[in-house]
Amino acid sequence: MGDTLRLAVGVMGNAASLLLFSSPILTFYQVIRKKSTEEFSCVPYTIALLNCLLYTWYGLPIVSYRWENFPVVTINGLGILFEFSFILIYFWFTSANGKMKVAITVIPVILVFCITTAISAFAFHDHRHRKIFVGSVALVASAAMYGSPLVVVKQVIKTKSVEYMPFYLSFFSFLASSLWMAYGLLSHDLFLACPNLVGSPLGILQLVLYCKYRKRGIMEEPDKWDLENNEEKSKQLQLMVNDVTNDKSQNYVKE
């Protein structure tokens, strides 16, 4: 019963994480359409890439015992593809200064992952010590991933706008962290449960801020979606055009 429940929570965690990893697609669609990254930061996606790399390695039989953490491998392996794609898009459309910042953050991520895999594979010779080492590094990376939106949270509080904090990203972050926390507790694996003890409260904080400042964003641009006002303005403009046309016609007849 315990293993079945753990597997069920792992499957739900995979589904929630898939939605979390795919939620920035709309954001990057706007980046591609506008051909600009505007004020979006690449740091959360870079840290998420490190987190996915480390936890994919953590779940493989080299570190974990056989395939006990198979759900961790599948979703984080998919997460690597998502995050790497987002970083490439960001790198393509950002400024020269932005490209430099991306390189400065991505290169250390790759180095940290390579060093971690090398040490765990060759310096340790049993699963227990490998899990402790890789799990400790992944714990730090995961806490940083869940903490990285604090930069956006600060901007939201400062500008009183949720433009750069998408709702679905915050919601799925909370949902995924809550499910993986449950999975880690059911597995008696603190390296899976502990990071999500940080992620769940931060997800709640983002949702609270979104609810608080969401209406401000709507009030700032009332004319954009006010069809009645737009229709009235369109009628007034049409009347002005007709008046000008009539005046010109009368002048032409007089001549």
Side-chain angles (χ1 to χ4, degrees), residues 129-147:
H129 288 92
R130 285 175 179 172
K131 286 185 71 174
I132 292 173
F133 176 70
V134 177
S136 299
V137 179
L139 181 63
V140 175
S142 188
M145 181 186 74
Y146 286 122

Side-chain angles (χ1 to χ4, degrees), residues 75-250:
I75 192 59
N76 283 284
L78 188 60
I80 292 171
L81 296 177
F82 273 104
E83 303 303 334
F84 191 68
S85 299
F86 295 148
I87 292 170
L88 282 179
I89 294 171
Y90 188 96
F91 185 84
W92 183 265
F93 289 104
T94 193
S95 61
N97 187 42
K99 286 181 171 61
M100 184 64 67
K101 290 180 180 179
V102 172
I104 290 173
T105 54
V106 171
I107 292 174
V109 161
I110 302 300
L111 288 176
V112 168
F113 174 68
C114 291
I115 292 170
T116 302
T117 54
I119 293 175
S120 60
F122 299 109
F124 301 104
H125 304 288
D126 61 275
H127 292 290
R128 179 174 174 272
H129 288 92
R130 285 175 179 172
K131 286 185 71 174
I132 292 173
F133 176 70
V134 177
S136 299
V137 179
L139 181 63
V140 175
S142 188
M145 181 186 74
Y146 286 122
S148 60
L150 288 175
V151 178
V152 181
V153 167
K154 180 181 177 182
Q155 186 178 9
V156 168
I157 296 173
K158 182 180 179 181
T159 61
K160 294 181 171 57
S161 171
V162 294
E163 182 181 1
Y164 297 104
M165 190 179 71
F167 169 76
Y168 290 112
L169 186 61
S170 301
F171 175 72
F172 292 134
S173 176
F174 164 71
L175 186 61
S177 59
S178 298
L179 287 168
W180 284 115
M181 178 177 64
Y183 179 87
L185 293 173
L186 290 170
S187 303
H188 305 288
D189 192 330
L190 293 178
F191 295 116
L192 293 175
C194 286
N196 297 291
L197 289 172
V198 178
S200 290
L202 287 175
I204 294 173
L205 174 61
Q206 291 177 61
L207 291 174
V208 169
L209 288 174
Y210 187 90
C211 292
K212 181 177 180 180
Y213 295 116
R214 176 178 62 88
K215 292 183 179 180
R216 288 178 177 266
I218 296 173
M219 291 173 63
E220 286 176 1
E221 295 181 333
D223 294 336
K224 184 177 180 180
W225 305 108
D226 194 338
L227 298 179
E228 185 177 347
N229 287 340
N230 285 340
E231 186 178 356
E232 184 65 28
K233 289 181 179 179
S234 179
K235 289 179 179 178
Q236 292 177 1
L237 182 61
Q238 186 64 40
L239 289 172
M240 291 174 62
V241 171
N242 290 338
D243 289 341
V244 172
T245 304
N246 290 335
D247 290 342
K248 286 185 176 181
S249 299
Q250 291 175 4

Side-chain angles (χ1 to χ4, degrees), residues 45-64:
Y45 306 103
T46 306
I47 298 175
L49 175 64
L50 176 60
N51 179 75
C52 291
L53 287 168
L54 290 171
Y55 272 106
T56 299
W57 179 250
Y58 180 85
L60 289 173
I62 300 173
V63 178
S64 295

Side-chain angles (χ1 to χ4, degrees), residues 19-58:
L19 293 171
L20 173 62
F21 291 141
S22 60
S23 59
I25 288 177
L26 292 177
T27 299
F28 281 91
Y29 171 76
Q30 295 297 325
V31 169
I32 295 172
R33 189 174 66 85
K34 295 179 180 180
K35 297 182 179 180
S36 171
T37 55
E38 296 182 328
E39 296 183 35
F40 289 104
S41 173
C42 189
V43 173
Y45 306 103
T46 306
I47 298 175
L49 175 64
L50 176 60
N51 179 75
C52 291
L53 287 168
L54 290 171
Y55 272 106
T56 299
W57 179 250
Y58 180 85

